[in-house]
Amino acid sequence: VVSAQTEAPFYEEWWFLLVIALSSLILILLVVFALVLHGQSKKYKNCGAGKTISNMEESVTLDNGGFTALELNSRHLNI
């Protein structure tokens, strides 16, 4: 009696399992990378362009190029 199947099927070979494992790993990494990029772009979209200044920041700005001078408010002057 001779068996009709002498070799194992290709899906049981070590190289096929290795290819499937590496492909799955690459796919998972791509999905994670896409989700991270999507989260970062959503975070910065909500933040705006950063050119608007609130009223509190405008009240402490001096005529020195727009830099805030918070240390002047914390200094106690003796008169």
Side-chain angles (χ1 to χ4, degrees):
V1 176
V2 177
S3 175
Q5 189 176 16
T6 58
E7 294 183 10
F10 71 94
Y11 53 85
E12 290 181 358
E13 294 289 333
W14 66 270
W15 54 267
F16 183 75
L17 295 175
L18 182 68
V19 167
I20 295 297
L22 290 176
S23 300
S24 300
L25 180 66
I26 290 172
L27 184 67
I28 289 171
L29 288 176
L30 284 175
V31 168
V32 168
F33 185 66
L35 288 175
V36 167
L37 283 181
H38 180 68
Q40 290 288 332
S41 67
K42 194 179 255 188
K43 181 173 80 170
Y44 287 118
K45 188 186 295 183
N46 292 339
C47 201
K51 295 185 179 183
T52 59
I53 300 175
S54 67
N55 290 334
M56 176 143 185
E57 288 177 346
E58 287 177 358
S59 66
V60 293
T61 56
L62 295 176
D63 198 18
N64 58 359
F67 293 105
T68 57
L70 294 174
E71 68 274 1
L72 293 177
N73 290 336
S74 64
R75 187 182 302 167
H76 297 292
L77 297 175
N78 293 332
I79 300 178

